[in-house]
């Protein structure tokens, strides 16, 4: 039976188990699409999660935050729990697109060694975030400010943009989206991503030489069986 949400509010878990550093480093070499495919086509956040500025990308271990709508108190609380290489991942108790995060919090997070932020809400100060090179992925850009009045929690399991994220999981984000890799299988997924990348490099070379996907993937017979006809 699931724990009622009310019992998970007002909690800061200070000691979390993070994914293996070697696995995180290896995952950082690959794109979101490759990792998603290597993991069995699971783990993606919703497609409305986009980089706040062009070129933003990140990979790191999750410090999770549960926010209340229009309230960024817990993002400040989370700063104390950040360790170098962490990505703060914030969900909200209900849909909200206010500007929870800006350049001041980014400055604080960077000082603690954060690799970026993923938030199912809004952010602002985008020009400054880009100038800082601080990677942020969010569902919205909003100049609307927030208050500091209601408790959420830090380092509990959260749902962020449709994906379950546990503290210490690996979060990877780039122009294709955001994917979550459970800490327990991070090395397995990293190895599978490497194998997939090597396989795709061979296919890319063959396609560049003019080989058709129809032949490389042996599609002609199943297409004919499905009823595809060519008419001259």
């Amino acid at each position: 039976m699931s724990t009622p949400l009310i019992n998970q509010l007002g909690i800061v878990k200070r000691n979390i188990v993070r994914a293996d550093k070697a696995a995180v480093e290896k995952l950082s070499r690959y794109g979101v699409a490759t990792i998603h495919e290597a993991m069995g086509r699971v783990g993606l956040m919703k497609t409305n999660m986009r980089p706040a500025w062009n070129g933003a990308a990140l990979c790191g271990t999750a410090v999770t935050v549960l926010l209340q709508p229009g309230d960024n108190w817990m993002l400040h609380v989370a700063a104390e729990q950040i360790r170098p290489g962490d990505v703060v991942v914030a969900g909200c108790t209900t849909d909200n697109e206010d500007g929870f995060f800006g350049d001041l919090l980014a400055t604080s997070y960077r000082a603690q060694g954060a690799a970026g932020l993923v938030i199912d809400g809004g952010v602002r100060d985008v020009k400054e975030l880009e100038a800082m090179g601080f990677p942020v992925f969010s569902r919205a850009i909003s100049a609307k400010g927030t208050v500091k009045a209601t408790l959420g929690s830090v380092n509990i399991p959260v749902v962020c943009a449709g994906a379950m994220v546990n503290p210490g999981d690996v979060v990877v984000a780039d122009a294709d989206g955001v994917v979550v890799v459970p800490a327990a299988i991070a090395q397995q997924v990293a190895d599978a991503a490497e194998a997939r990348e090597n396989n795709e490099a061979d296919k890319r070379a063959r396609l560049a030489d003019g080989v058709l996907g129809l032949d490389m993937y042996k599609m002609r017979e199943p297409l004919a069986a499905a009823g595809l006809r060519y008419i001259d």
Side-chain angles (χ1 to χ4, degrees):
M1 185 169 64
S2 61
T3 304
L5 178 60
I6 191 67
N7 293 336
Q8 298 185 56
L9 296 177
I11 294 171
V12 178
K13 187 173 181 181
R14 292 187 289 191
N15 297 310
I16 65 172
V17 178
R18 292 168 171 83
D20 180 73
K21 287 184 179 180
V24 177
E25 193 282 327
K26 191 169 186 177
L27 284 166
S28 72
R29 305 173 200 167
Y30 306 110
V32 167
T34 295
I35 294 169
H36 166 62
E37 293 282 357
M39 196 163 53
R41 298 186 177 180
V42 297
L44 283 181
M45 291 190 183
K46 292 180 180 178
T47 56
N48 60 354
M49 296 293 287
R50 304 302 303 151
W53 47 272
N54 289 334
L58 58 80
C59 177
T61 44
V63 166
T64 60
V65 182
L66 181 64
L67 296 168
Q68 299 287 1
D71 193 315
N72 77 344
W73 215 2
M74 291 299 103
L75 288 177
H76 288 272
V77 174
E80 188 177 28
Q81 305 308 315
I82 294 170
R83 301 295 177 265
D86 283 342
V87 171
V88 176
V89 180
C92 192
T93 58
T94 189
D95 286 352
N96 189 262
E97 296 185 348
D98 292 351
F100 289 92
F101 185 91
D103 72 305
L104 292 180
L105 263 172
T107 300
S108 175
Y109 279 21
R110 168 155 285 173
Q112 304 306 315
L117 170 77
V118 174
I119 181 169
D120 193 4
V123 298
R124 59 186 187 175
D125 301 332
V126 172
K127 182 178 179 181
E128 290 79 5
L129 293 174
E130 181 175 10
M132 293 172 64
F134 189 84
V136 173
F137 286 72
S138 68
R139 67 182 289 181
I141 305 297
S142 174
K144 185 177 180 181
T146 55
V147 300
K148 298 166 180 62
T150 310
L151 290 179
S153 288
V154 176
N155 281 334
I156 67 169
V158 299
V159 176
C160 182
M164 175 61 73
V165 188
N166 287 286
D169 285 349
V170 186
V171 180
V172 185
D174 61 23
D176 287 333
V178 185
V179 66
V180 181
V181 181
I185 61 170
Q187 187 62 58
Q188 175 186 339
V189 174
D191 292 342
E194 180 181 43
R196 182 176 181 83
E197 187 78 1
N198 290 339
N199 180 258
E200 287 193 348
D202 176 67
K203 291 177 181 176
R204 192 173 295 111
R206 293 174 65 190
L207 291 169
D209 284 340
V211 175
L212 293 174
L214 287 170
D215 298 312
M216 186 169 70
Y217 296 113
K218 296 180 170 55
M219 295 179 180
R220 295 190 186 277
E221 287 189 9
L223 283 168
L228 183 69
R229 295 182 300 143
Y230 289 85
I231 301 175
D232 295 325

